[in-house]
Amino acid sequence: MADRYLHFTGTAPGRFLTRRLSLPQPAPLRRWSLETPQLEGPLLHLTAGSGAGAGADTETGAGLAEVLAGVGLPVVGRADRPGAVVLDATGVTTAAGLGDVHAALHPVVRTLAPGGRIVVLGTVPSPDDHHQAAAQQALEGFVRSLGKEIGRGSTVQLVRIPGVRVPDVPASGIRLPGGGATAQGAASTLRFLLSPRSAYVSGQVIELTDATPEPVTDPAAPLAGRTALVTGAARGIGAAVASVLARDGARVIALDVPGVREELERTAARLGATPLPLDITAPDAADRIAAAAPDGLGVLVHNAGITRDRRLANMAADRWTSVVEVNLDSVLRTTDELLKGGAVTRGGRIVATASIAGIAGNNGQTNYAASKAGIIGLVRSLGPRAAADHGVTVNAVAPGFIETKMTAAVPFFIREAGRRMNSLSQGGLPVDVAEAVAWFAQPDSTAVNGQVLRVCGQSLLGA
Ligand code: NAD
């Protein structure tokens, strides 16, 4: 459904009136297209902290410079109007060192181009060094606050790259292991965050592992040769996911309930995908998925989901059961069976769909929020084991207010609140969720595991 307010604020009288009334000022977001594949303006690379972090003179720092060069923007040390800023704050290990973060970003924050990106690189807060832990955790509060105030469609994120404690390093005792290889693990994440593909992602913290990334042979078709199955793909977010994975070169199998067979076939035909009419709750669902992908699945996206809203006091048992069955139980069951049977190939990617309701909770959605919080539990627990046992990563997207048929049915005032109550003052589009799924699916996203990425414009609901 068209966002008329966003359109109105894009006109001169609309801008004048809404500013006078101190109403939200959503900036039109610049999303990825063949014509606009990159941000506008150079990438400003800054460093904060003089500890044992990843300054340009360390091996990791050199690896990072190489990774930033691969993002596709000219990398500079000074810029009047940067399109993106990367602040390497891995070396910030004390409260005093946080002053460097202010010193680095205070002069540039006003000069960032509209729709710009700020990515702060940090490391994991140490359980053994409370000064380092405090300084690194401080970066999270910093990033989440800057995301709320930056405006003009710009976004701010924190990416934690792994660090280990080594006794011979003074002060913090933290050094980044793996040198350039650690930085290489961040390549797909930085490509995503420093591009128009992450337009509706802000205020997020992403923690990478030290897994070695797989190579991407064809950057224009990174998923070439892989089969991707998307559940709930007839329409909405699932159809967008199928479309973006096909764009990235995957052979796509689009699954949806037999009841929407015609819509599924139309969507599949449009994308050159194979339709698979199947209810994901069917007892033989995993077998039928495996049979539909005889060469194995490189990407499995659990997107199908339903709502049956009622307050708990008025909720009949069938409303509870059906939501938990579709949104969580079938995801657990099919994932287990497909992994055990080897249907998800090594280097495979599993992406599930949570929701900000599963993080913040929502009135009338105890069943839905429980099922979506369950997805978060699944991802965090299974991710490390799936990587160790099967060479597969497991992550989730947690969409906020996304413009789909589901949200178009929401009453006007609640819909308007959903759209505006985030740092970007607008709803997201299905493609925003799809781009995040495609980032998880990249061959070189091996170090992205057990993560839950909110695609919510930094919604005020939840963390
Ligand atoms: P949608 O209702 O438009 O599409 C969901 C699809 O899943 C439909 O095509 C439906 O037929 C299919 N489906 C339902 N039950 C199924 C089953 N048993 N087997 C196979 N397919 C089944 O919803 P959407 O807005 O595109 O949402 C997609 C996912 O994103 C869902 O998991 C939803 O909970 C989640 N989500 C959406 C939003 C939003 O704002 N739209 C926000 C947070 C999370």
Side-chain angles (χ1 to χ4, degrees), residues 231-239 255-260 263 276 278-282 302-308 325-327 330 353-357 368 371-372 397-407 428 430 433 455:
T231 71
R235 65 175 195 221
I237 294 172
L255 179 154
D256 212 305
V257 284
V260 299
E263 195 176 6
L276 179 59
L278 173 64
D279 188 324
I280 195 69
T281 64
H302 293 290
N303 162 80
I306 58 169
T307 51
R308 297 285 182 272
E325 174 66 9
V326 174
N327 296 1
S330 70
T353 308
S355 163
I356 59 166
Y368 182 77
S371 71
K372 295 300 188 179
V397 282
F401 184 97
I402 304 295
E403 305 277 0
T404 63
K405 249 187 181 170
M406 191 172 102
T407 47
V433 183
V455 184

Side-chain angles (χ1 to χ4, degrees), residues 56-372:
D57 55 344
T58 66
E59 197 190 341
T60 303
L64 177 61
E66 193 186 317
V67 165
L68 293 182
V71 161
L73 299 172
V75 183
V76 296
R78 285 174 71 94
D80 291 338
R81 199 170 181 267
V85 181
V86 170
L87 175 68
D88 179 355
T90 52
V92 174
T93 54
T94 60
L98 289 166
D100 287 3
V101 174
H102 174 268
L105 290 179
H106 167 71
V108 301
V109 78
R110 265 186 224 277
T111 67
L112 187 69
R117 303 280 187 273
I118 295 182
V119 173
V120 176
L121 292 178
T123 188
V124 183
S126 163
D128 307 320
D129 178 346
H130 54 287
H131 287 264
Q132 185 272 358
Q136 286 295 322
Q137 190 66 36
L139 296 176
E140 183 169 331
F142 170 79
V143 156
R144 292 197 198 276
S145 300
L146 188 56
K148 290 185 178 182
E149 65 188 39
I150 194 159
R152 300 196 303 164
S154 295
T155 64
V156 190
Q157 335 280 349
L158 173 62
V159 177
R160 289 188 176 134
I161 51 184
V164 288
R165 185 168 168 77
V166 285
D168 57 334
V169 178
S172 74
I174 298 294
R175 184 176 67 85
L176 293 167
T182 305
Q184 286 300 331
S188 77
T189 302
L190 292 174
R191 270 201 325 271
F192 169 63
L193 295 177
L194 299 170
S195 81
R197 295 173 200 247
S198 58
Y200 198 60
V201 176
S202 193
Q204 295 302 293
V205 180
I206 296 160
E207 196 167 309
L208 302 177
T209 73
D210 59 2
T212 308
E214 284 147 53
V216 175
T217 18
D218 179 0
L223 299 180
R226 295 190 178 212
T227 300
L229 182 131
V230 184
T231 71
R235 65 175 195 221
I237 294 172
V241 171
S243 168
V244 169
L245 296 181
R247 175 202 72 189
D248 283 357
R251 279 188 303 270
V252 176
I253 301 172
L255 179 154
D256 212 305
V257 284
V260 299
R261 181 188 288 263
E262 275 182 23
E263 195 176 6
L264 175 66
E265 285 176 352
R266 270 199 308 275
T267 304
R270 180 165 54 81
L271 304 176
T274 307
L276 179 59
L278 173 64
D279 188 324
I280 195 69
T281 64
D284 62 346
D287 290 343
R288 292 188 49 196
I289 289 171
D295 297 333
L297 286 174
V299 183
L300 169 61
V301 184
H302 293 290
N303 162 80
I306 58 169
T307 51
R308 297 285 182 272
D309 297 356
R310 282 279 190 284
R311 287 190 176 174
L312 185 64
N314 304 324
M315 188 182 293
D318 64 323
R319 286 186 173 257
W320 179 276
T321 315
S322 55
V323 167
V324 173
E325 174 66 9
V326 174
N327 296 1
L328 181 60
D329 212 10
S330 70
V331 176
L332 286 160
R333 202 170 44 242
T334 51
T335 298
D336 284 352
E337 289 179 27
L338 290 169
L339 271 179
K340 212 179 295 160
V344 183
T345 51
R346 282 201 86 75
R349 308 278 180 248
I350 297 176
V351 185
T353 308
S355 163
I356 59 166
I359 297 169
N362 205 12
N363 190 343
Q365 291 201 313
T366 51
N367 51 356
Y368 182 77
S371 71
K372 295 300 188 179

